[in-house]
Amino acid sequence: MRTSLSSAVRFVTHLALASLVLCQAAQAAPATEASIREYFRLAGTERHLSISTEAFKKGYEEDWRKESDPVQKASKKMVMDHFNEVVSTKMTWEKLEPLAVESYQQELSDSDVQEMIAHANSPAGKVSNQKMIPALLAQLPAIQQYMTAVLSELTNRKGPPKPLPAMPAPGANDALLQTFLRAIPGEKEEFEGRIAPTVDMMASALTRNESAKSRARIARAVASVKKRLSFDNVTAFKARMLGNALSADEINLLIEDNRRPERQAQLRKVRQAEQEFQGRMMGTM
């Protein structure tokens, strides 16, 4: 239960803080606390965190309410209550913002932050912060359910894998959304760097002390899971879940914004700050 909860907490904070987008990197004076807090305000980072945590709260509650098995229902109630307690006591913006400020000060210069502020006020920044990121964060439970269902092919030995969550009907902008999501600098590398090792670690644990027949079954399941959890497949699922949150013009605006070389460099740099923040944040849990 703790492993599942910790994973959910990391997932929420990681995606909420992914909204901290940089614009031109520069060697200059260290970023000030005041300027970083001003960027957080303009980007709506506190709102993003609230959207993501509320989405997970509703997801855990819905999963608990739908469960009919008494043992499983009690277990899910414990997870739900524990998550709600962590969110209310340790994941408030009041407590997380100082950790985020320290993390971003370590990675960013004052020039970086001033350009972040300028980007937040740009058309692309407003579409990203006010529409795209909130829409994606609201779908976090569905994305997690999708990945959990796929991974259940490895772990469910006494029955069939969990069914995949229902998806909305195809939207007119699915292809454009996939183009945008697949081209976010560093996104594919980070995804594949997390998913493949996780599947391999699970497989290694499952094959210990197993018969040759069981090991062969697990090997087949690993191959199937890796295929279904490919970056392209998960990105297609995310695009479908975003639905009509953005117009074609807005998606094209974001695509063109991310094609700028300086933007690509800065989007990759912010991941370093996010990783620093995650380390600090998890140290308090």
Side-chain angles (χ1 to χ4, degrees):
M1 183 180 74
R2 292 198 196 101
T3 300
S4 175
L5 178 61
S6 297
S7 177
V9 171
R10 286 195 298 271
F11 195 36
V12 168
T13 52
H14 171 73
L15 287 177
L17 268 294
S19 62
L20 308 182
V21 181
L22 309 182
C23 289
Q24 174 109 16
Q27 294 298 322
T32 66
E33 179 178 334
S35 62
I36 292 177
R37 288 180 184 271
E38 173 65 6
Y39 177 72
F40 290 168
R41 184 186 69 81
L42 288 171
T45 308
E46 182 176 4
R47 174 176 173 246
H48 296 165
L49 180 64
S50 177
I51 290 171
S52 58
T53 53
E54 286 302 314
F56 269 104
K57 281 183 180 180
K58 290 179 181 178
Y60 278 123
E61 182 174 359
E62 182 178 357
D63 193 33
W64 167 68
R65 290 188 183 281
K66 288 182 177 179
E67 182 59 61
S68 58
D69 180 88
V71 175
Q72 288 297 318
K73 194 175 185 70
S75 177
K76 290 180 178 181
K77 180 67 161 55
M78 290 177 63
V79 171
M80 178 180 68
D81 290 345
H82 192 185
F83 180 79
N84 290 343
E85 180 183 358
V86 170
V87 166
S88 63
T89 61
K90 297 183 179 181
M91 287 186 63
T92 64
W93 184 236
E94 181 182 10
K95 292 189 176 181
L96 291 181
E97 185 180 25
L99 299 179
V101 169
E102 292 173 3
S103 302
Y104 281 78
Q105 279 185 311
Q106 181 171 311
E107 301 295 334
L108 309 177
S109 70
D110 191 59
S111 296
D112 290 331
V113 178
Q114 294 307 317
E115 289 168 357
M116 288 162 59
I117 291 172
H119 186 271
N121 284 317
S122 72
K126 290 178 179 179
V127 169
S128 178
N129 292 320
Q130 297 175 18
K131 298 188 71 173
M132 189 277 292
I133 290 173
L136 186 59
L137 293 177
Q139 298 301 329
L140 286 181
I143 295 169
Q144 185 185 51
Q145 287 172 18
Y146 174 85
M147 300 181 77
T148 299
V150 173
L151 287 170
S152 73
E153 186 171 344
L154 261 178
T155 56
N156 282 13
R157 298 189 182 190
K158 296 182 179 180
K162 294 181 180 179
L164 296 178
M167 289 196 297
N173 295 325
D174 278 8
L176 265 182
L177 281 167
Q178 289 182 51
T179 297
F180 164 66
L181 293 170
R182 286 172 178 158
I184 295 175
E187 192 75 5
K188 183 175 182 179
E189 295 92 330
E190 180 171 326
F191 177 88
E192 293 181 344
R194 287 187 294 111
I195 294 301
T198 298
V199 175
D200 289 338
M201 181 176 65
M202 291 176 64
S204 177
L206 290 171
T207 54
R208 291 172 189 165
N209 303 318
E210 291 287 345
S211 65
K213 182 178 180 179
S214 293
R215 288 196 296 272
R217 182 196 67 80
I218 293 171
R220 290 193 298 272
V222 167
S224 175
V225 167
K226 285 185 175 180
K227 182 177 180 180
R228 296 173 74 188
L229 281 185
S230 69
F231 177 71
D232 282 348
N233 284 346
V234 174
T235 299
F237 180 82
K238 289 180 180 179
R240 182 71 65 83
M241 297 306 296
L242 282 173
N244 297 316
L246 301 176
S247 69
D249 287 344
E250 289 170 334
I251 300 168
N252 280 317
L253 177 65
L254 296 179
I255 290 172
E256 290 304 315
D257 188 47
N258 281 351
R259 282 176 177 165
R260 296 186 295 114
E262 62 272 27
R263 178 71 166 170
Q264 294 177 11
Q266 289 139 15
L267 283 169
R268 292 179 185 278
K269 184 177 180 181
V270 76
R271 293 180 186 275
Q272 298 175 356
E274 290 170 1
Q275 290 170 1
E276 175 66 23
F277 168 74
Q278 289 171 44
R280 291 172 187 258
M281 183 272 297
M282 291 308 298
T284 68
M285 296 297 169

